[in-house]
């Protein structure tokens, strides 16, 4: 294999570390507690024996602090990460996560604040929620904001439930019962239909046109049935294309008595440039862990705020964080209040206030960038994707002509003739030191490769990525085997996922126990 | 670069957006701040959170436990911190093995067979458990018994409102604070019995007895744990017969952070593995037979099953699950019990001493872990705000926040970080203030 | 090569990252300052043009914050480190560095404290110095402590200068002029003679015996010349052996009118077990960055406290940190004082108070371990080294029979018959995922391999290390080439150090400039 | 394990230590503390450092500059933090390339050809520079001119006392604060002229003129810089003709930390490379022609040359050199100048405004960078302690600490982190206190 002549841009991963349970050595400990400083009672007098564990926590690891440090430090080296290089995972907006935001989130005044602290004693924390709501309202053009949802999908559920609650109120329970259809384009992310289903809607799929946009004719036709509660639209859509008929789309849905929900996962293409509220959208969710750079953390935590029109505001989850009109602080009242009094609210979607730590980081992101900075970031994100679209067009099939926004989709059409498919190209990219793009999504594009560079990469890195992709295109012709067997540079090769799913092993078990069953 | 791709201005990048939709003004958000200014600003706001600076006996679903220094160090490693969902196993083995260990630890502590890679938090995990019980049993009634965290119940309500699930409540038994001996509503239409233990009042429930009743009716038993630290000492819900166990994992190395991000633990029996919501990591092998880990049983999930998925969850609480894993492994077999025992000892000392104070009593008779309800001589909210103002102590939670009919009750939580000095200051404060206002 | 069947214990390093200067892109910036908030003056009016730079800082990098993060994160992956695995570098005591100590050192009350702050406003900081001095005095049995030296060698210089100052005072300038000889065993670390030279001594070398101990006869003979100012002795010595005649050695030197300096780099073998002060030693240095676990940081910072007998105390560097006998704090005086009034002092060896941050960490180490913990650490360190000595004796030549203390020396005698030398064994060890031992030191042992496991490794890791060493011994016989060409698993192979020294390139230069000259 | 190697007790491990030397009691050091207790204890002591909590105008060799957040993040990476001196280049390329970049940056800023991998700090670097000058010139007299940091001079004194070097001082010129036009003692026995610029009083010296004088006498010019930030704006010593430049690098991303650890920068001319003290990293190639870096010119060093080495230094300030490297690269070409200009602007605003206050004046006429001496109406130490007590401001350093003959002078330092508000508070404070005591 040729990995010798590969110019790698990130770390080669090859390494061996057992499971912590396999490293456990009886008697080793990694903690120390202060001595108990109160008069002790026999534990059985506090908790009756029958309510106590009798397994002595058998099987839990016994390790020292050094063991733990080495265990995780070693495992960490098997991961690719944004801090190591370009991570063009389409639809996920893998932008740089500022360490400054981490410092902010760790300020003791926030980190040690209990969610049930009295509102008067948490004014700073509430003010941050309020200000972030305010900024997100301005950025989306939608005045009603709830930061309670924990992630994008959670925000979708919240938004769709709001639509349902609004229609129930508008049409009355009886009539509204006939509006239980949620329209979703075939290009949508899987969470959209799943969220619609959670809210008790049945899903109808809208076709996309050959240019990759919502099929207006099909939309009109389905809307004519009169059972449409709403449309869930991603814009720019998951193909990286701006739905240029957005206003007309909203019009059609509104005329049919429905509301428009926008999946805002792709807001990194719009911040400072255009606002969903101005397009006719009624409610949207944002992914603070994408557009607003809160860390992805190996899969969360996220934060999926819901922003709505004034009309839908009464239906947002409770509690809401509001500002007292008059400065009551003098009169002993609180300036920022936790308000439960929204009788039409869909209710609570999460305990406490949502993923507060992410709100701190997002506000810090907005403040460090400033309004020009936010716009410049969007411009850079789109420029970078457009550059890749331009540079790779000669080697890879680009299924849609329309200019891409922050991300661009290619396919393996040309390479597959030689038997090299999207999966192989993705795996080979690993050998070149890049994280692969999103693959086989959106589903409507055969062998899709969705590439989102984000604004965090410079010209140099873009060119290295382009060079790698071109080299792979050449390899697919000259030496398909090399690509088909990639990656060659990682700790392990491709894993047999089918076998893993057939007889799933989802936890470690002590040897004997394992053999036992 | 613009020119290289044949454009003239940044504006050209947005040609596909109709002119009239493009913003012609600057966003009305603040101008850019330097690091110096930004930190100063946040420090000012943090200083406005008086409650974060004092000795505290607040629990009720969010707990102050000691967090070993290495937890934050490890979760801050770029390789964990700036990676995303492990879609590409060859370069995500770090995250994948951590999740596999997390799943194992959750199973060990809850006494269950299989656990997922995490849920948003305890409250949403409970809601998903209820939905799962409906899928498993094809029954549509769910009975929530006793003192369950009110905010958890609100979330469950929101989730089930459109799922055609009927949610019944069985009040707690007022003298014990536990679920009453016989449970109304439990019948052959019941999908699940939901119980929290220790419950919202800190009372330990007889889970085994409840499991039996649930199973006799052909229903599942869902056990919710808001104070995961209790698992170090109390019989595991699995050992007591639970079918689904959900917990809030915040106690395991996660800062209070005004309510989030936390992490939901979700565990069940092997036979229900394919009905579980969220992500699962499993063992897998490559061509050379090397062991690795992958996301598995994906056919349950939204990106494949779309509206038929077991849940809509996608991004979960990866980094917090990592923190919990580091915590559980650092404390380990001995430490998890030690902490739990210290919590129980300190809480029992505190409740005993409070009950000796003139005018204070313990309204519930059930055994408790590290939280208990105190019935005070007067309005609890006023008592606690005076305690904060005059003694700089957060004495606990006035139950009136959730139970208007219990104006004089408050919930006190004591953990290993509450020193004897803090506890005694609380005792003196309660005595003096109650006395002075008497 | 066979690296496929190697069970690696740490990360495989292979990776590519240019110099920051090669990554620089005009116009990129990675910082932001607050706007200047005072009335501005023309800069030329503040600093005359002729005193200003006129090169516009040509050549300094222009990069973004992400560029910087990726640059250093990538480079970091080329390093081996304690947190990745066992680092048995003899004489360097590569023990685990607790992260708790880092938290302590970053407490703003210490990190933001200016060294010239008034002593009354720095009582906490001074108390820490005082307490650490106190504990080190107890641990060494030597009451006079100065924490000013920045590292071991600096402590050596300080200690030797103290000896000189003491002798000058004792004998008077004239007589003392004839005592300018410092005795140093041939096994000593290079810093010993270098430090003696810095203090104006001429060095005479003492032979070691066949058992690896100081040759008493030789010592006596040289001491008879009457010009001996002192002896610099490492104990346990650099062969890992305790100088069991230490008392007699001190006696001989004292009788000859000299003083005994002990190099305390190997104190990890003695803490809690035996005290240099009880052995007759007059002055010693410690390496807080070894025995007391302050981080090695890729080569410092260190801290090399000097501990002396009461007799030598007046000669320690100024200022000294002292405690007021009477509690003067009432009277407005300070409890902990910075005292300059030591007329016999050798003077100041460093600005301010020395490497204060290291003192914080060392005190935290002493407090977290507690007195039992300190002793247990010493026992574990010696046990681990003794275990390795035992397990490797069958495969490697052990030049001395005496039982090793915290470290053990082996040689390549058996392997070299096959042409495999210490360097090759060390390089091959890298392929097995370990940091090599210290090699070719001490100089008196041909092909020395000095192995110091420290207390931070458990049984499991020791066995993995032993297995690796045995495998290499086998390879040296079965497949010498494999060992001679090691390492095979690193980003780069062995570098041509001779060529590098012949025509040294010690800095980056812009291409044209470079070619120019 | 003990038994495996044929021992019975831990005591047996120490058989080679004579019985009578073994400690038969426990060390009289404190018992073990848990993390919780330890942190609480250090927090208490930290709270006892009042000076660390207020606006400060203290400089004099240790400066408060803003430290970008990423500096501490990067130096905390285990791979940098827990490695040691890069003896094994194949697994130390991270550290080695960083040092190579550090050496390059130091050369660029000082205007020199070659720089080493770091010295303990500025003061010891100056002492080593003096010793090097003696080696290079084989001359034994060194002339220290003008206002050099008193603690640096003390250290030089200690180092040279046994090296047979004669150290002469040339007083500063009292009206300008700079080195006098013609320098006494400078002759053909002089190894080096030592000057600090900006000097201890903040005055910028005419380095070029001094270089000429030194070179005319066949001596080297050693330039010391205690405020490295000045290099962003001022002519580099190299460009002005210096032969050896040493600097304290603390200003580049290193916290004050009560005086250390800091980092000494040491740079000189190519022709003296083999006389330089300390470690040097150079470019090297492997068999396949791949570029890497190694420790080089080791024949200068103690581990090879023993007593004939150019210095006894072994462990240096690696991690701090890394911090400085991250700082210099993050600020970069533009930032280093921007910070320097802000310092100069703010200091000039402050000195101008102070000189307008009744009773205050600026005793020295020379141009300054970010530090300057103020002559007050009365005892400076008292003035400053009142300023601290009444206004919570560290107003600067009373020169009497080092110059008993200047009781009313104090040294004020202003950097980019001193806000306009802080500066104006200082001005008001000085005016009010001086007035009230007049
Ligand atoms: C287009 C789109 N919609 C929704 C989601 C769901 O967001 P989350 O993963 O935060 O739940 C994602 C991200 O995965 C997405 O890419
Ligand atoms: C035996 C011995 N003495 C002295 C030293 C010098 O210590 P330092 O490197 O801290 O100057 C060392 C460490 O390198 C050593 O091993």
């Amino acid at each position: 294999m040729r990995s010798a002549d590969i110019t790698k841009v990130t770390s080669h991963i090859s390494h061996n570390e057992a499971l912590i349970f396999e490293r456990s050595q009886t008697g080793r400990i990694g903690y120390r507690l202060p001595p108990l400083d109160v008069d002790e009672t026999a534990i059985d007098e506090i908790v009756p024996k029958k309510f106590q564990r009798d397994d002595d926590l058998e099987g839990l690891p016994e390790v020292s602090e050094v063991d733990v440090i080495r265990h995780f430090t070693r495992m960490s080296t098997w991961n690719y990460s944004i801090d190591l290089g370009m991570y063009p995972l389409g639809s996920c907006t893998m932008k740089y996560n500022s360490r400054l935001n981490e410092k902010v989130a760790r300020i003791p005044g926030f980190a040690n604040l209990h969610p049930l602290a009295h509102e008067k004693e948490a004014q700073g924390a509430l003010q941050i929620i309020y200000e972030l709501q305010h900024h997100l309202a301005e950025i989306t053009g939608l005045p009603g904001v709830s930061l309670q949802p924990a992630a994008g999908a959670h925000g979708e559920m919240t938004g769709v439930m709001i639509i349902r609650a609004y229609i129930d109120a508008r049409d009355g329970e009886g009539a509204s019962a006939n509006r239980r259809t949620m329209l979703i384009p075939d290009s949508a992310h899987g969470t959209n239909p799943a969220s619609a289903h959670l809210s008790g809607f049945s899903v109808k799929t809208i076709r996309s046109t050959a240019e990759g946009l919502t099929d207006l004719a099909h939309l009109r036709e389905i809307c004519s049935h009169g059972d449409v509660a709403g449309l869930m639209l991603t814009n720019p859509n998951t193909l990286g294309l701006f739905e240029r008929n957005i206003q007309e789309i909203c019009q059609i849905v509104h005329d049919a008595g429905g509301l428009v929900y926008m999946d805002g996962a792709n807001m990194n293409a719009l911040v400072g440039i255009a606002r969903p509220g101005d397009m006719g959208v009624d409610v949207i969710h944002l992914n603070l862990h994408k557009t607003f750079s809160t860390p992805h953390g190996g899969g969360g935590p996220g934060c999926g705020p819901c922003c709505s029109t004034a009309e839908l505001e009464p239906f947002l989850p409770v509690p809401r964080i509001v500002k007292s009109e008059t400065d009551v602080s003098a009169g002993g009242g609180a300036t920022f209040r936790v308000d439960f009094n929204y009788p039409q609210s869909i209710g609570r979607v999460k305990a406490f206030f949502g993923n507060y730590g992410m709100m701190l980081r997002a506000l810090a992101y907005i403040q460090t960038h400033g309004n020009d900075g936010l716009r410049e970031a969007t411009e850079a994100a789109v420029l970078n994707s457009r550059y890749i679209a331009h540079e790779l067009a000669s080697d890879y099939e680009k299924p849609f002509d329309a200019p891409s926004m922050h991300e661009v989709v290619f396919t393996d059409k040309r390479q597959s003739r030689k038997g090299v498919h999207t999966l192989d190209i993705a795996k080979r990219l690993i050998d070149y030191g890049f994280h692969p793009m999103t693959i086989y999504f959106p589903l409507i594009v055969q062998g899709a490769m969705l590439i989102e560079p984000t604004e965090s990469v410079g010209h140099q890195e873009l060119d290295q990525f382009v060079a790698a992709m071109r080299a792979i295109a050449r390899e697919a012709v000259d030496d398909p085997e090399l690509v088909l067997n990639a990656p060659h540079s990682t700790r392990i090769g491709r894993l047999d996922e089918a076998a893993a799913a057939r007889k799933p092993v989802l936890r470690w078990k002590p040897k004997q126990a394992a053999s036992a069953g | 670069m613009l020119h290289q791709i044949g454009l003239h201005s940044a504006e050209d990048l947005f040609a596909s957006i109709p002119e009239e939709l493009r913003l012609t003004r600057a966003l009305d958000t603040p101008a850019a701040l330097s690091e110096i200014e930004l930190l100063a600003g946040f420090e000012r706001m943090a200083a406005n959170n008086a409650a974060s600076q004092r000795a505290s006996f607040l629990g009720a679903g969010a707990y102050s436990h000691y967090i070993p220094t290495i937890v934050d160090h490890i979760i801050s490693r770029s390789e964990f911190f700036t990676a995303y969902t492990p879609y590409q196993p060859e370069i995500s083995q770090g995250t994948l093995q951590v999740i596999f260990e997390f799943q194992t630890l959750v199973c060990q502590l809850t006494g269950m067979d299989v656990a997922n890679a995490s849920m948003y938090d305890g409250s949403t995990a409970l809601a998903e458990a209820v939905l799962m019980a409906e899928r498993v049993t094809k029954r549509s009634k769910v009975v929530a018994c006793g003192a369950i965290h009110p905010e958890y119940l609100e979330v469950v309500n929101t989730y089930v409102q459109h799922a055609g699930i009927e949610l019944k409540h069985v009040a707690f038994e007022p003298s014990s604070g536990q679920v009453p001996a016989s449970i109304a509503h439990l019948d052959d239409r019941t999908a699940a019995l939901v119980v929290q233990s220790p419950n919202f009042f800190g009372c330990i429930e007889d889970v085994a007895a409840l499991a039996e009743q649930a199973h006799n009716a052909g229903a599942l038993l869902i056990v919710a744990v808001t104070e995961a630290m209790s698992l170090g000492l109390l019989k595991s819900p699995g050992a007591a017969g639970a079918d689904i166990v959900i917990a809030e994992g915040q106690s395991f190395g996660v800062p209070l952070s005004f309510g989030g991000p936390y992490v939901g633990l979700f565990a069940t029996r092997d036979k229900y593995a394919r009905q579980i919501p969220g992500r699962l990591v499993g063992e897998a092998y490559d061509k050379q037979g090397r062991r690795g880990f992958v996301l598995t049983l994906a056919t349950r999930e939204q990106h494949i099953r779309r509206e038929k998925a077991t849940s809509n969850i996608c991004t979960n609480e990866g980094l917090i699950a990592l923190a919990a894993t580091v915590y559980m492994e650092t404390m380990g077999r001995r430490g998890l019990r030690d902490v739990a025992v210290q919590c129980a000892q300190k809480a029992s000392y505190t409740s005993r001493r409070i009950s000796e104070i003139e005018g204070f009593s313990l309204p519930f008779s059930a055994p408790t872990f590290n939280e208990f309800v105190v019935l005070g001589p007067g309005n609890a909210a006023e008592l606690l705000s005076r305690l904060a103002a005059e003694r700089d102590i957060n004495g606990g939670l006035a139950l009136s926040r959730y139970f208007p009919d219990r104006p004089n009750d408050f919930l006190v939580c004591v953990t290993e970080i509450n020193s004897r000095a803090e506890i005694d200051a609380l005792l003196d404060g309660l005595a003096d203030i109650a006395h002075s206002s008497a």
Side-chain angles (χ1 to χ4, degrees), chain A residues 31 41 83 299 348 352 386, chain B residues 13 78 151 158 316 338 345:
Chain A
Y31 74 98
T41 314
D83 283 2
R348 183 187 275 284
F352 308 126
R386 200 67 68 79
Chain B
L13 293 165
S78 293
E151 299 199 6
T158 307
N316 52 28
D338 281 5
Q345 289 285 357

Side-chain angles (χ1 to χ4, degrees), chain A residues 90-92 150-156 187-192 234 236-238 263-266 285-287 289-290 302-304 407 441, chain B residues 84-85 87 120 279 302 312-316:
Chain A
S91 206
C92 296
H154 207 208
E156 294 170 23
S187 61
H189 191 267
T191 49
N192 290 188
T234 308
N237 65 25
T238 60
D263 179 329
N266 292 343
H285 89 261
L286 299 171
N287 298 66
H289 49 297
K290 296 177 179 178
C303 187
E407 59 191 348
F441 173 79
Chain B
Y84 200 18
T85 310
Y87 296 118
Y120 299 140
R279 298 211 159 92
Q302 45 74 26
N312 68 332
I313 193 169
C314 179
T315 292
N316 52 28

Side-chain angles (χ1 to χ4, degrees), chain B residues 134-380:
Chain B
E134 185 250 6
R135 285 195 300 275
V136 166
T137 61
K138 310 262 180 332
R139 298 178 175 186
S140 63
K141 191 168 81 178
V142 170
V143 182
C145 322
I148 294 174
H149 195 301
E151 299 199 6
Y152 281 45
L153 280 180
E154 292 174 34
V155 173
V156 172
N157 261 313
T158 307
Y159 269 72
V160 303
Q161 65 186 320
H162 307 308
I165 292 176
E166 173 189 15
L167 191 61
K168 290 280 183 207
H169 296 271
V170 172
F172 60 90
E173 204 280 303
S175 65
S176 70
Q178 296 165 300
V179 177
S182 94
I183 299 162
H185 306 299
L186 182 55
D187 57 29
D188 60 9
R189 288 180 31 260
T190 308
L193 207 61
V194 179
V195 64
Q196 174 181 332
S197 181
N199 69 22
F200 186 68
F201 299 142
C203 302
I204 301 170
E205 299 282 4
D206 188 342
V207 178
L210 292 163
E212 198 180 337
Q213 294 190 59
H215 295 158
N216 290 341
L220 304 187
L221 177 68
I222 298 173
V223 176
V225 180
T226 59
E227 171 49 300
M229 204 59 79
S230 65
L231 295 169
L233 175 63
L234 303 190
K235 180 180 242 61
S236 72
D243 301 285
I244 303 175
V245 180
I246 70 91
E248 171 51 66
Q250 178 267 333
S251 293
F252 293 155
V254 184
L256 286 170
S257 192
F258 205 47
Y262 294 169
V263 55
L265 315 186
F266 194 110
T268 185
R269 301 288 178 192
D270 266 332
K271 56 178 179 247
Y272 305 133
R274 285 180 152 72
Q275 285 298 336
I276 212 170
R279 298 211 159 92
L280 285 171
V281 167
E283 205 172 83
Y285 293 82
D286 70 3
K287 285 212 195 70
Q288 283 129 70
R290 288 173 295 191
R291 179 181 69 183
F293 301 92
V294 291
L295 291 172
T296 191
L297 300 186
T299 50
R300 300 163 299 110
E301 293 188 69
Q302 45 74 26
H303 61 279
I304 294 185
R305 288 292 288 290
R306 320 242 342 146
E307 60 267 40
K308 297 190 194 52
T310 55
S311 167
N312 68 332
I313 193 169
C314 179
T315 292
N316 52 28
E317 303 291 303
L319 198 69
I320 312 300
L322 169 64
T325 306
V326 178
Y327 180 87
M328 291 185 274
E329 296 184 3
T330 303
M331 300 309 287
R333 184 178 182 181
R334 300 278 159 249
L336 288 168
R337 181 179 163 90
D338 281 5
V339 180
V341 168
Q342 279 212 6
C343 289
Q345 289 285 357
K346 291 192 167 203
S348 114
Y349 167 83
T350 312
S351 59
R352 208 160 57 247
R353 296 291 313 278
I354 290 182
S355 66
E356 291 159 14
I357 303 174
E358 168 80 60
F360 291 85
S361 63
L362 308 174
F364 301 126
S365 61
T368 60
F369 172 61
N370 69 348
E371 277 183 291
F372 53 90
V373 173
V374 173
L375 175 58
N379 181 286

Side-chain angles (χ1 to χ4, degrees), chain A residues 17-20 22 30-31 34 37 39-41 50-53 56-57 59-63 71-72 75-76 78-83 87 92 94 99 102 106 109-111 113-114 116-117 121-122 124-125 135 138 153-154 164 188 190-191 193 195 197-199 244 247 273 275 295-301 346 348-353 355-357 367-368 370-371 375 384 386-387 427 459 491-496 500-501 505-508, chain B residues 1 4 11 13 18 20-23 25 27-30 32-33 35 38 42 45-46 48-52 54 59 62 70 72 76-84 88 90-95 97 100-101 103-104 108-109 112-113 120-121 123-124 151 154 158-159 161-162 206 231 233-235 256-258 260-261 274 282-283 285-286 290-291 294 296 302 306-307 312 315-319 329-330 332-333 335-336 338 342 345-346 352 402 420:
Chain A
E17 170 70 4
L19 288 165
I20 196 75
E22 297 160 345
Y31 74 98
D37 57 1
D39 340 1
E40 205 161 340
T41 314
K50 70 164 182 171
F51 290 155
Q52 287 181 46
R53 290 192 87 100
D56 193 20
L57 292 167
L60 273 99
E62 297 178 74
V63 290
H71 181 61
F72 287 96
M75 289 193 293
S76 74
W78 307 338
N79 272 6
Y80 190 94
S81 67
I82 293 173
D83 283 2
Y87 204 130
C92 296
M94 304 300 287
R99 289 287 165 174
E102 295 311 305
R106 284 159 176 76
F110 301 121
L113 185 61
H114 194 286
L116 298 177
E121 305 197 316
H135 297 328
E138 162 68 5
H154 207 208
R164 177 163 172 150
T191 49
S195 301
H197 174 73
L198 250 179
S199 316
R244 73 177 122 67
Q247 288 155 297
I273 301 293
R275 312 192 311 161
H296 283 80
I346 61 164
R348 183 187 275 284
V349 299
K350 190 173 179 310
F352 308 126
F353 306 105
N355 283 346
Y356 184 75
Q367 291 183 349
T368 34
N371 49 4
R375 184 191 169 98
N384 287 346
R386 200 67 68 79
Y387 181 77
K427 297 304 184 190
H459 198 159
R491 172 174 168 264
I492 50 161
R494 298 190 198 184
L495 295 161
D496 185 342
V505 175
L506 305 175
R507 61 167 291 188
W508 170 87
Chain B
M1 250 163 70
Q4 242 172 301
E11 195 60 25
L13 293 165
E20 67 275 22
L21 290 184
R22 283 183 243 158
L23 212 53
R25 59 171 178 86
L27 281 175
D28 180 18
T29 57
L33 294 181
E35 287 201 9
L38 182 98
F42 276 95
M45 297 214 254
N48 244 334
N49 299 326
S52 66
R54 54 171 86 105
I70 64 173
D72 193 51
S76 299
R77 289 270 308 168
S78 293
E79 293 82 345
F80 287 128
F81 186 78
T82 68
Y84 200 18
Q88 298 287 345
E90 298 87 348
I91 46 173
S92 308
Q93 284 300 306
T95 297
Q97 185 165 324
F100 187 80
E101 293 184 359
Q103 291 176 176
T104 303
Q108 292 172 324
L109 282 170
M112 304 300 283
D113 306 324
Y120 299 140
D121 72 349
S123 69
T124 56
E151 299 199 6
E154 292 174 34
T158 307
Y159 269 72
Q161 65 186 320
H162 307 308
D206 188 342
L231 295 169
L233 175 63
L234 303 190
K235 180 180 242 61
L256 286 170
S257 192
F258 205 47
R274 285 180 152 72
E283 205 172 83
Y285 293 82
D286 70 3
R290 288 173 295 191
R291 179 181 69 183
V294 291
T296 191
Q302 45 74 26
R306 320 242 342 146
E307 60 267 40
N312 68 332
T315 292
N316 52 28
E317 303 291 303
L319 198 69
E329 296 184 3
T330 303
R333 184 178 182 181
L336 288 168
D338 281 5
Q342 279 212 6
Q345 289 285 357
K346 291 192 167 203
R352 208 160 57 247
Y402 301 112
R420 170 69 174 266

Side-chain angles (χ1 to χ4, degrees), chain A residues 376-426:
Chain A
E376 285 158 18
T378 306
E379 290 169 354
V382 174
L383 175 59
N384 287 346
S385 128
R386 200 67 68 79
Y387 181 77
I388 287 173
H390 182 270
E391 297 295 301
L392 291 186
S394 48
D395 297 271
Y396 293 90
E397 187 76 14
K398 191 161 167 300
F400 305 104
D401 300 336
S404 66
M405 297 292 285
H406 68 301
E407 59 191 348
V408 56
V409 67
F410 283 96
T411 80
D412 60 358
K413 190 155 174 216
R414 300 184 204 169
Q415 289 70 30
S416 56
R417 295 197 200 97
K418 283 273 189 175
V420 172
H421 298 286
T422 286
L423 181 69
D424 309 309
I425 295 165

